[in-house]
Amino acid sequence: MARASQLVGLFLVLCASLLWGPAALAQETPRVMGEPVPHERALSTERYQDCGLRKRAVNASVSHRPVPKQSREASATIEVDYGENFTTEAEDAFERAVDVWETHISSPVPIQVQASYEALGEGTLAAAGPNFFYGVDATGNGETDVFAGDALTDAIVGEEANPQEPDIVVRVNNQLNGPGDWHFGPGDAPEGTIDFTSVALHELGHGLNYIDFFSVDQERGEYPSNTDGESRILGTYDRQVVSNDGELSYRALTNTSFYPNPSDELGSALTSNRVFFQGEASEATAELGTGPALPKLYAPGSFAGGSSIAHLDEDTYQPETQNALMTPIIDQAETNRLPGPIMCGQFRDMGWPLGVGCEQYFQDLFAVSVQEVDGQSGSRTLSWSEANDANIQEYIIDRRYFGGSFEEMKRVDASEVAGSSLTVEDLGLGAFEFRLRWVRENGSTASSPERVRDTVTVRDVSTTITGRDEQGRGTVDLSWTVPPGTSSDFLYRVERRTGEEGAFQPVATVPQDGDASDEQSKQYTVKGQTPGRYEYRVRAQDGAGNAVTSAAREAQIDFEGDVYALGPYPNPVRETASFDLTAREPQSVQVEVYNTLGEQVYAEQREVRAQDPTSLSIDASQWASGMYFLRLRGDGSVGQTKKMIVVQ
């Protein structure tokens, strides 16, 4: 990470009443203003190569790790292009950090990361930041309000501002050796090692806009401005940075009435050890810990390029606290794989849409999920996490059926809920979306922004080969179970696919026998099935055309040899002889017909897919009445020879 330098020709003015984040976005559609500015122009190149995260040869032996991912649905997609030097174990460790951020932020646009694993020198662990910065009109007045990096800009605007370029550039040092070497594993970092995943999580945070434009040169503080010194580049992070004068009053460091740009006054504030991050969400999350009312930033008496301002204060947020990830020092054996509440608050104040990992700090209920219920076909359990001070009186589960309107399905008094879960029974077949609402003790209501989805389809689909006829054709019994609560207007279409690559085709339709108040078993029998491989599935469809489809089940009707022919039919043959061909492996099959004199009267080369019966029709209208012999020759082997009678 780095600090600001003079930037000629850019003009960005902060509006005194600037709105940013959810309140502003609900009013206007934000948009990008002007051309993207490469990070080399917005920040000094030298400092951009070092984010100021330092290792300390002290074993913290602490661990902050996320809950299992299955309870948190990803709300962002982060795609990483790893450089050629990245080892497999380093990639795996980096991906664990990616997984965490994908559940803590939300973006409709995939976030592209370019990551390299290279020599950065002994004092540097890693470096990261946005690749470009953009002026953003957040209020819709046609003027640039604030400056943001790639990923945040894309998330706010809702589209890729610069699709040809990565959004975040990360460089990780591959030269750590001896004490303080990298720990790549999924478990806690042992003593004497630095946790690679924790560092990657920290650096990705900088790339997601945890970055400032301030700098100090010979006691004069500044941030980028154009040549006339009036218009200023103001980042989403910078506008939240305030200084405390010791009397519980805070002044924005971008307020030029108190801190001209550049000025000694600004330089003094940046090195005062009294710098904080001000914002409604940041203040709310700071209250969850034991620190000051506002998140305190790292601002030592000697300005530390790459470390000052864009980190939380190390002394205030020690490794054992839940807000230690973004401090400028990481200890050995410090496993910190969670952004923490304060960082989530800062992201919210900067305008980031949040995922459930961060939303938990701002809601009564969060991390809602849905699971099947063992032994209860058609039932689902909704589970959630709950804030300690939620004070909920009543829970409500709403259901949406096949994309229709939400309807209340269950309402339960909080005193009757054991743990943080509720089960809804007898849903019947359908594609469902569930919403959890609640009523607080003061009578106010709220709803989780998370919508959990699940599909209930027929269960226990099975196929059984129950017999063979004299020609080797099989009988397939297909059975399935219909869950209770299923409407009487459902029909069940049996579909079949031959071989391994064919499309599913309808075979038959089975009606519903009244409302399925109890679980129902259904069956359909397919006779005369040519040897080969098949897959069967059941597509259940209601009267409105809504449908759910079961998983497919295989039915294998075996045969002898490498190539098999079923037929001819009809037999005797009059004009056309029809056969079904099946091959054990994909191959080219030579089809030949000979008369009783050994003369070849027909030949064809046919490509046959594995276990996929294919039809063969031979025109016999010009042949004399009598006996003929069909011979099949596969690749490297002789298949069957079959007799057929032609009658003219």
Side-chain angles (χ1 to χ4, degrees):
M1 216 190 66
R3 297 295 170 266
S5 62
Q6 292 294 99
L7 182 57
V8 178
L10 292 175
F11 48 95
L12 296 170
V13 182
L14 176 68
C15 301
S17 59
L18 173 65
L19 292 175
W20 181 257
L25 300 181
Q27 300 172 14
E28 302 290 347
T29 300
R31 56 176 175 159
V32 174
M33 304 292 288
E35 296 297 318
V37 179
H39 65 261
E40 296 92 340
R41 294 179 61 198
L43 302 164
S44 69
T45 301
E46 179 181 353
R47 289 177 178 174
Y48 192 84
Q49 295 177 354
D50 181 3
C51 278
L53 180 62
R54 298 287 181 262
K55 63 179 180 178
R56 182 165 54 190
V58 174
N59 291 310
S61 299
V62 297
S63 177
H64 305 282
R65 296 169 61 185
V67 297
K69 192 176 180 181
Q70 64 263 23
S71 66
R72 291 182 174 178
E73 183 178 349
S75 50
T77 299
I78 301 177
E79 301 171 347
V80 185
D81 179 15
Y82 292 102
E84 61 181 9
N85 292 328
F86 251 93
T87 63
T88 299
E89 60 179 0
E91 288 186 16
D92 291 344
F94 200 99
E95 284 296 322
R96 281 190 286 274
V98 166
D99 290 343
V100 172
W101 276 121
E102 287 181 334
T103 62
H104 281 71
I105 59 172
S106 178
S107 176
V109 181
I111 299 168
Q112 306 296 331
V113 178
Q114 178 181 299
S116 62
Y117 195 40
E118 57 186 286
L120 299 180
E122 183 178 351
T124 301
L125 289 173
N131 194 22
F132 288 87
F133 294 90
Y134 304 83
V136 179
D137 173 15
T139 56
N141 62 1
E143 296 183 2
T144 298
D145 298 314
V146 77
F147 218 58
D150 302 80
L152 177 54
T153 298
D154 294 347
I156 295 300
V157 174
E159 60 183 18
E160 181 69 67
N162 196 353
Q164 306 304 319
E165 296 286 344
D167 301 311
I168 298 173
V169 178
V170 180
R171 303 166 68 234
V172 185
N173 195 350
N174 66 359
Q175 288 188 315
L176 298 191
N177 294 300
D181 200 357
W182 289 123
H183 164 69
F184 298 104
D188 294 342
E191 292 187 358
T193 65
I194 299 296
D195 188 54
F196 189 98
T197 298
S198 299
V199 172
L201 192 70
H202 176 111
E203 298 303 332
L204 285 170
H206 285 307
L208 293 170
N209 221 97
Y210 204 100
I211 195 167
D212 75 292
F213 292 157
F214 293 109
S215 65
V216 175
D217 184 16
Q218 296 182 354
E219 299 185 357
R220 289 175 65 83
E222 64 174 329
Y223 46 93
S225 66
N226 66 2
T227 51
D228 61 18
E230 295 179 1
S231 299
R232 304 181 301 282
I233 299 172
L234 194 67
T236 58
Y237 186 97
D238 302 324
R239 72 183 184 88
Q240 311 288 151
V241 178
V242 299
S243 179
N244 174 253
D245 62 5
E247 298 179 1
L248 297 181
S249 62
Y250 298 94
R251 293 171 178 167
L253 294 192
T254 54
N255 185 336
T256 53
S257 298
F258 296 96
Y259 307 109
N261 180 36
S263 69
D264 290 346
E265 291 85 354
L266 180 57
S268 178
L270 289 168
T271 55
S272 65
N273 198 30
R274 295 197 306 270
V275 179
F276 301 84
F277 194 95
Q278 188 175 55
E280 181 179 346
S282 302
E283 184 172 359
T285 50
E287 292 177 356
L288 301 177
T290 58
L294 295 183
K296 187 176 183 181
L297 302 180
Y298 184 64
S302 178
F303 191 84
S307 296
S308 290
I309 309 306
H311 286 93
L312 293 174
D313 184 64
E314 182 70 37
D315 293 335
T316 304
Y317 309 105
Q318 291 290 309
E320 61 271 13
T321 70
Q322 58 183 337
N323 293 304
L325 177 69
M326 291 309 292
T327 63
I329 294 175
I330 182 171
D331 290 340
Q332 295 172 164
E334 180 180 345
T335 304
N336 201 326
R337 301 177 184 174
L338 285 171
I342 283 180
M343 191 177 187
C344 287
Q346 291 175 294
F347 268 43
R348 186 183 179 99
D349 286 329
M350 284 192 282
W352 263 109
L354 301 182
V356 296
C358 279
E359 281 289 355
Q360 62 178 298
Y361 302 115
F362 308 100
Q363 296 184 0
D364 296 331
L365 304 185
F366 54 92
V368 181
S369 61
V370 60
Q371 303 90 25
E372 292 188 24
V373 181
D374 291 340
Q376 297 185 41
S377 174
S379 297
R380 294 294 186 268
T381 294
L382 265 66
S383 302
W384 62 88
S385 297
E386 188 168 317
N388 293 330
D389 57 351
N391 294 324
I392 293 174
Q393 184 177 17
E394 195 173 35
Y395 299 95
I396 306 164
I397 294 178
D398 297 329
R399 183 196 71 174
R400 173 184 282 168
Y401 176 79
F402 283 112
S405 300
F406 274 109
E407 297 179 351
E408 183 177 319
M409 188 176 187
K410 191 167 189 174
R411 182 184 289 256
V412 181
D413 190 273
S415 62
E416 300 176 10
V417 176
S420 299
S421 66
L422 279 173
T423 298
V424 288
E425 299 86 5
D426 300 345
L427 286 164
L429 296 173
F432 301 101
E433 186 174 356
F434 299 99
R435 177 177 65 189
L436 182 63
R437 293 186 291 138
W438 58 95
V439 180
R440 303 185 182 96
E441 289 186 354
N442 62 8
S444 63
T445 61
S447 173
S448 170
E450 303 165 66
R451 306 288 187 266
V452 292
R453 299 173 176 84
D454 206 350
T455 298
V456 180
T457 186
V458 300
R459 297 172 57 92
D460 307 322
V461 179
S462 65
T463 56
T464 306
I465 311 300
T466 57
R468 297 286 191 105
D469 62 17
E470 66 279 1
Q471 291 185 301
R473 296 176 298 185
T475 297
V476 180
D477 283 344
L478 176 71
S479 62
W480 64 93
T481 301
V482 178
T486 300
S487 171
S488 61
D489 66 348
F490 267 93
L491 297 174
Y492 304 93
R493 188 171 71 180
V494 177
E495 298 180 333
R496 177 180 63 206
R497 174 168 64 186
T498 61
E500 298 178 352
E501 301 176 359
F504 278 96
Q505 301 293 336
V507 174
T509 300
V510 178
Q512 170 83 333
D513 299 326
D515 288 339
S517 56
D518 296 318
E519 190 171 78
Q520 291 186 0
S521 295
K522 292 190 171 295
Q523 184 171 330
Y524 182 78
T525 298
V526 184
K527 296 182 178 180
Q529 194 68 75
T530 302
R533 179 187 182 276
Y534 301 88
E535 286 183 87
Y536 287 89
R537 69 184 186 186
V538 178
R539 179 177 173 84
Q541 182 171 311
D542 68 10
N546 302 309
V548 291
T549 304
S550 74
R553 291 292 181 265
E554 179 181 316
Q556 181 84 34
I557 304 174
D558 205 2
F559 56 90
E560 294 182 358
D562 294 327
V563 181
Y564 174 86
L566 176 66
Y569 47 88
N571 193 11
V573 175
R574 294 191 179 275
E575 293 185 355
T576 303
S578 297
F579 297 85
D580 289 329
L581 300 182
T582 308
R584 194 168 299 279
E585 301 294 339
Q587 58 188 290
S588 178
V589 176
Q590 180 70 22
V591 181
E592 300 168 337
V593 179
Y594 295 87
N595 60 23
T596 55
L597 298 177
E599 297 170 333
Q600 187 184 77
V601 296
Y602 178 85
E604 178 185 351
Q605 195 78 17
R606 177 65 66 96
E607 298 298 324
V608 182
R609 295 192 295 264
Q611 303 286 346
D612 187 358
T614 183
S615 296
L616 170 66
S617 295
I618 300 175
D619 183 5
S621 62
Q622 302 302 313
W623 299 353
S625 297
M627 182 177 291
Y628 292 82
F629 300 92
L630 173 76
R631 178 177 293 175
L632 303 177
R633 292 191 299 170
D635 293 339
S637 64
V638 176
Q640 288 182 314
T641 298
K642 297 182 70 71
K643 295 178 182 180
M644 64 179 179
I645 303 297
V646 175
V647 177
Q648 301 293 358

